[in-house]
């Protein structure tokens, strides 16, 4: 009974937030920003959260994008019971990583590692999949196109995993990896590229 009451309360709060009228209301955030928040590749800043909560029109757009994302994910072909679905992994540059040259970054789930190797005055970035990841066999078999994006949505690396579960590219930015990630909220994401 308590769960049903909580569900009803949540629906009422949602309806009140979405239906209130605000004079001069307009879309306060771009779709790209809202989508990044939905897929976890970039957290909203405090100012963006404030803009979202104060604009019913922006909230309605955020809800619509959320429903569209859910529909796309629900329409994906079913996976075998032993092939867990992977839709992306996120990570953050830790404070300890900023004191020295950045060697590696690991996603929060521990399934992906970014290695940074100095090379010819720049860097080489290598994406490595952990052999213990529950979806490793599936990704190595299917070879989907993957990408790593920074907190601002820029592509750090894009490609397919090799037989060793790695993808390697030249670092595409002028700034060093640690400085670059700090400029864009210290976050990054590994995700499949939509076909």
């Amino acid at each position: 009974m308590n769960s049903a009451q909580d569900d009803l309360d949540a629906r009422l709060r949602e309806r009140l937030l979405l239906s209130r009228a605000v004079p001069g209301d307009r879309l306060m955030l771009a779709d790209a920003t809202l989508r990044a928040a939905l897929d976890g590749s970039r957290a909203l800043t405090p100012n963006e959260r404030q803009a979202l909560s104060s604009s019913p029109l922006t909230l309605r757009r955020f809800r619509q994008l959320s429903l569209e994302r859910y529909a796309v994910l629900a329409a994906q072909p079913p996976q075998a019971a032993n092939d867990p679905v992977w839709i992306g992994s996120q990570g953050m540059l830790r404070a300890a990583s900023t004191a020295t040259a950045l060697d590696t970054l690991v996603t929060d789930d521990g399934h992906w590692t970014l290695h940074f190797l100095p090379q010819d005055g720049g860097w080489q970035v290598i994406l490595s999949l952990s052999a213990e990841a529950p979806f490793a066999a599936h990704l190595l078999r299917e070879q989907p196109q993957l990408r790593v994006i920074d907190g601002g949505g820029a592509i750090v690396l894009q490609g397919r995993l090799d037989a060793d579960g790695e993808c390697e590219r030249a670092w595409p930015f002028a700034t060093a990896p640690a400085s670059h990630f700090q400029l864009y909220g210290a976050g990054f994401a590994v995700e499949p590229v939509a076909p």
Side-chain angles (χ1 to χ4, degrees):
M1 182 71 174
N2 193 20
S3 175
Q5 184 64 41
D6 290 345
D7 187 43
L8 179 61
D9 289 346
R11 287 181 188 207
L12 288 173
R13 278 193 303 275
E14 178 184 348
R15 183 164 275 173
L16 283 171
L17 279 172
L18 294 174
S19 65
R20 64 191 163 103
V22 173
D25 191 15
R26 60 186 172 81
L27 282 176
M28 302 298 288
L29 300 171
D31 281 2
T33 301
L34 297 173
R35 284 191 178 102
L38 285 169
D39 68 21
S41 62
R42 182 174 89 72
L44 293 176
T45 66
N47 286 340
E48 289 169 338
R49 285 194 304 271
Q50 175 61 34
L52 180 63
S53 65
S54 63
S55 169
L57 184 61
T58 308
L59 272 173
R60 285 193 294 273
R61 182 63 182 155
F62 187 64
R63 183 175 184 271
Q64 180 61 36
L65 291 173
S66 175
L67 293 172
E68 288 173 7
R69 177 176 161 77
Y70 178 78
V72 167
L73 293 175
Q76 290 180 346
Q79 302 287 316
N82 60 350
D83 281 345
V85 175
W86 174 74
I87 57 171
S89 299
Q90 291 78 42
M92 293 288 289
L93 175 69
R94 306 293 177 217
S97 299
T98 62
T100 61
L102 184 62
D103 294 326
T104 60
L105 281 177
V106 180
T107 56
D108 296 338
D109 58 19
H111 299 318
W112 300 94
T113 303
L114 286 176
H115 302 273
F116 303 96
L117 306 173
Q119 186 176 42
D120 301 326
W123 294 269
Q124 196 72 359
V125 59
I126 303 168
L127 174 67
S128 299
L129 172 63
S130 168
E132 279 77 45
F135 47 81
H138 175 75
L139 290 184
L140 290 172
R141 182 177 62 245
E142 298 297 321
Q143 294 289 305
Q145 182 92 332
L146 304 173
R147 70 179 171 200
V148 177
I149 57 172
D150 64 21
I155 296 174
V156 173
L157 172 148
Q158 184 166 316
R160 299 182 193 282
L161 296 174
D162 62 19
D164 295 326
E166 295 184 343
C167 180
E168 181 175 349
R169 297 287 182 269
W171 177 252
F173 307 106
T175 54
S179 301
H180 178 83
F181 284 111
Q182 286 175 339
L183 287 172
Y184 295 96
F188 72 100
V190 181
E191 58 188 25
V193 176

